[in-house]
């Protein structure tokens, strides 16, 4: 079943507007569990309760409070609504950048961008996709989804334009935030670097995403099937963390030999 449209509008490229819709390009395949009572196997209800008065709170009594220096500052729905970004129906392309310049850590959610509105929109869409594909660059733009403005990068994948929302730069913690846990910067001996490079080259291959699968998801599915059949499950011991190699050069040489073998 095709994913439903989450947003409709237009991609604005100069004076060209391409009517499009956004559809989710990802899906959640992870097994999900309900919280249930162990005795009755019925679902547990989660209720809104005031922690001070220990009584249920109706929705019309729920308000927004933001804690600042131990003080709860109350904000109304109307005040928040007044700050919502201006709702638009366009994804305004502001710049084209080299995809390699975008830090992968900034990528968030991904959507398909599909044409809507007939053959005229389809022609404009195909032109935009072809131009972007030939340029080999990502189109950066902004758009409003629900009540939030997003920065987004659009690229062509398998002939279809995809849009990935991006985190803003200040949403990524800098490495300095690690404090004392940040590894010290010291250059290893050249011989060790050369051996490590050889190991990387020996393990080198073209990236094929279909070659990797979610092994944990399959294990959970097999566990549920086994439990349904009444099979007893043995819980394995907690694995030990491997120790650091006492002789790093020897470990590198043996690793290279094992890969090549």
């Amino acid at each position: 079943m095709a994913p439903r449209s989450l947003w409709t509008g237009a991609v604005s490229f100069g004076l060209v507007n391409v009517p499009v819709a956004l559809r989710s390009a990802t899906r959640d395949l992870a097994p999900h569990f309900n919280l249930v009572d162990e005795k009755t196997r019925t679902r547990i209800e989660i209720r809104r309760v005031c922690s001070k008065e220990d009584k249920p709170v109706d929705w019309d009594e729920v308000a927004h409070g933001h804690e600042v220096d131990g003080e709860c500052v109350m904000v109304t729905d109307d005040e928040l609504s007044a700050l919502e970004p201006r709702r638009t129906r366009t994804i305004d392309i502001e710049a084209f950048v080299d995809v390699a310049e975008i830090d992968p850590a900034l990528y968030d959610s991904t959507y398909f961008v599909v044409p809507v509105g007939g053959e005229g929109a389809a022609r404009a869409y195909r032109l935009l996709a072809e131009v972007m594909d030939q340029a080999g660059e990502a189109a950066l733009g902004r758009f409003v989804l629900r009540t939030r403005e997003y920065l987004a990068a659009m690229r062509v994948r398998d002939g279809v334009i995809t849009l990935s929302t991006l985190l803003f730069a200040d949403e990524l913690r800098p490495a300095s935030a690690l404090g004392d846990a940040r590894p010290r910067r010291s250059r290893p001996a050249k011989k060790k670097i050369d051996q490590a490079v050889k190991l990387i080259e020996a393990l080198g291959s073209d990236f094929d995403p279909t070659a990797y699968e979610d092994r944990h998801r399959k294990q959970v599915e097999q566990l549920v099937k086994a439990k349904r059949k009444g099979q007893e499950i043995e819980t394995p011991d907690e694995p030990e963390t491997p120790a650091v190699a006492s002789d790093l050069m020897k470990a590198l040489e043996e690793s290279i030999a094992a890969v090549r073998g």
Side-chain angles (χ1 to χ4, degrees):
M1 189 173 88
R4 64 183 180 87
S5 297
L6 304 174
W7 182 94
T8 56
V11 174
S12 179
F13 176 47
L15 298 178
V16 178
N17 293 307
V18 184
V20 298
L22 295 187
R23 300 188 180 190
S24 180
T26 61
R27 53 183 176 174
D28 182 7
L29 296 178
H32 294 278
F33 295 89
N34 297 317
L35 295 178
V36 299
D37 183 287
E38 186 176 16
K39 296 179 181 178
T40 63
R41 298 190 179 186
T42 54
R43 290 193 183 187
I44 297 174
E45 293 183 2
I46 299 177
R47 300 178 183 272
R48 297 178 304 279
V49 178
C50 175
S51 59
K52 183 177 181 179
E53 299 180 347
D54 193 24
K55 67 175 186 179
V57 180
D58 295 329
W59 268 120
D60 57 0
E61 297 178 330
V62 175
H64 301 284
H66 185 73
E67 187 171 325
V68 181
D69 299 328
E71 178 186 357
C72 183
V73 180
M74 303 299 292
V75 180
T76 67
D77 290 338
D78 290 339
E79 290 168 338
L80 288 174
S81 297
L83 298 179
E84 290 181 1
R86 184 173 61 89
R87 293 182 181 273
T88 62
R89 283 294 175 187
T90 59
I91 301 172
D92 298 309
I93 296 178
E94 299 179 5
F96 285 88
V97 300
D98 189 335
V99 175
E101 293 181 359
I102 303 176
D103 187 340
L106 292 171
Y107 286 111
D108 194 10
S109 301
T110 302
Y111 303 89
F112 288 124
V113 182
V114 296
V116 293
E119 183 56 31
R123 284 198 302 268
Y125 178 92
R126 288 195 294 268
L127 173 62
L128 179 60
E130 185 64 27
V131 170
M132 290 175 58
D133 198 24
Q134 288 190 18
E137 295 187 335
L140 290 184
R142 296 170 184 261
F143 75 107
V144 176
L145 178 62
R146 300 185 181 93
T147 60
R148 179 181 172 184
E149 182 181 63
Y150 290 89
L151 178 65
M154 289 186 290
R155 297 169 294 170
V156 177
R157 175 173 172 262
D158 296 333
V160 177
I161 299 175
T162 61
L163 178 147
S164 297
T165 55
L166 302 175
L167 300 175
F168 289 100
D170 58 0
E171 293 182 283
L172 278 183
R173 288 193 177 99
S176 58
L178 290 172
D180 295 338
R182 181 176 180 176
R184 291 181 299 173
R185 300 189 67 174
S186 58
R187 188 172 178 82
K190 184 177 182 305
K191 191 174 181 181
K192 292 180 180 178
I193 294 177
D194 292 342
Q195 288 296 88
V197 169
K198 288 181 181 178
L199 177 58
I200 291 174
E201 291 175 345
L203 290 168
S205 66
D206 294 330
F207 177 60
D208 177 12
T210 62
Y212 302 88
E213 62 180 12
D214 189 339
R215 295 180 296 189
H216 178 259
R217 185 177 75 221
K218 288 198 171 185
Q219 290 173 338
V220 173
E221 291 171 351
Q222 292 170 356
L223 169 65
V224 172
K225 288 180 180 179
K227 293 281 290 184
R228 188 178 184 186
K229 293 178 180 179
Q231 299 178 10
E232 292 188 8
I233 307 299
E234 292 185 6
T235 305
D237 297 330
E238 186 71 20
E240 295 183 0
T241 302
V244 178
S246 57
D247 188 338
L248 186 55
M249 279 298 296
K250 183 180 179 182
L252 286 169
E253 291 170 354
E254 291 178 350
S255 298
I256 294 172
V259 172
R260 290 178 175 172

